[in-house]
């Protein structure tokens, strides 16, 4: 099957190369691991249906993560009408792929904007310019937000290491 001159193989290569990074970025951005898997799968399906356009974006992987986050927000809005939701994120399974459990928990405790910046900059390896574009903020805001996030993470991880000693 071809998609307006774009091969299924090209999308398949993108999917295989980006799926784990996208999942890690979504989880680091604060999504529940189970919901993240569902949302990322849905986002990749949407990416396939729009692949001729998505493939031309500055970062197709960031498009997938942003779409997954938007899908999760929509899901959460529907669910919050039915349930009382705690602000605390659910505990992560010990086998979350490719993560240091302490680091991931520390990232999940960051404020939402800091989590998003860390997820895009480190888990998707986007530059500051692309991160700013994807989040709709100024490049300087990305740098300042990342600075504060890293400072907080260093303190949290130093505290947790001190408690282990």
């Amino acid at each position: 099957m071809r998609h307006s001159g774009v091969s299924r193989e090209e999308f398949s290569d993108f999917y295989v190369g980006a799926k784990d990074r996208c999942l890690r970025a979504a989880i680091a951005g604060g999504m529940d691991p189970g919901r993240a898997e569902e949302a990322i799968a849905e986002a990749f399906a949407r990416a396939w249906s729009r692949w001729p356009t998505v493939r031309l974006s500055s970062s197709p992987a960031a498009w997938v993560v942003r779409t997954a986050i938007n899908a999760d927000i929509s899901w959460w809005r529907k669910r919050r009408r039915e349930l009382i939701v705690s602000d605390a994120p659910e505990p992560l399974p010990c086998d979350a792929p490719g993560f240091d459990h302490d680091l991931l928990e520390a990232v999940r405790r960051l404020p939402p904007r800091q989590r998003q910046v860390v997820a895009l900059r480190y888990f998707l390896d986007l530059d500051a310019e692309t991160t700013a574009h994807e989040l709709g903020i100024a490049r300087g805001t990305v740098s300042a937000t990342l600075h504060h996030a890293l400072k907080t993470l260093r303190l949290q991880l130093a505290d947790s290491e001190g408690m282990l000693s």
Side-chain angles (χ1 to χ4, degrees):
M1 175 178 169
R2 295 188 67 78
H3 220 319
S4 301
V6 179
S7 73
R8 179 181 288 219
E9 183 178 334
E10 178 187 15
F11 181 80
S12 179
D13 290 345
F14 163 68
Y15 173 78
V16 168
K19 68 182 170 111
D20 290 338
R21 290 183 312 128
C22 290
L23 179 60
R24 285 192 289 267
I27 293 170
M31 290 176 68
D32 166 74
R35 280 290 310 139
E37 287 184 38
E38 292 174 24
I40 289 293
E42 181 177 333
F44 271 109
R46 290 181 188 182
W48 168 245
S49 70
R50 297 168 179 82
W51 186 239
T53 302
V54 172
R55 70 188 280 271
L56 299 175
S57 73
S58 59
S59 175
W63 186 97
V64 168
V65 172
R66 187 179 63 225
T67 300
I69 289 170
N70 290 342
D72 189 60
I73 289 169
S74 295
W75 175 85
W76 184 83
R77 284 180 179 152
K78 290 175 192 171
R79 293 288 296 166
R80 92 174 159 189
R81 291 183 195 113
E82 301 167 14
L83 302 171
I84 297 172
V85 179
S86 167
D87 286 339
E90 292 185 25
L92 290 173
C94 293
D95 62 348
F99 281 116
D100 174 283
H101 192 299
D102 293 334
L103 175 60
L104 183 57
E105 284 298 328
V107 170
R108 292 184 80 205
R109 286 190 297 267
L110 292 171
R113 176 65 74 199
Q114 290 181 14
R115 282 194 315 259
Q116 292 168 347
V117 169
V118 168
L120 293 178
R121 291 284 283 130
Y122 289 106
F123 292 96
L124 286 185
D125 198 28
L126 299 183
D127 61 25
E129 189 76 29
T130 305
T131 300
H133 174 76
E134 293 299 325
L135 295 176
I137 60 178
R139 187 175 189 275
T141 302
V142 169
S143 298
T145 302
L146 184 60
H147 172 77
H148 292 296
L150 294 177
K151 182 178 177 182
T152 300
L153 289 172
R154 284 185 197 104
L155 290 172
Q156 286 180 8
L157 293 173
D159 286 346
S160 69
E161 286 178 12
M163 293 181 354
L164 295 175
S165 300

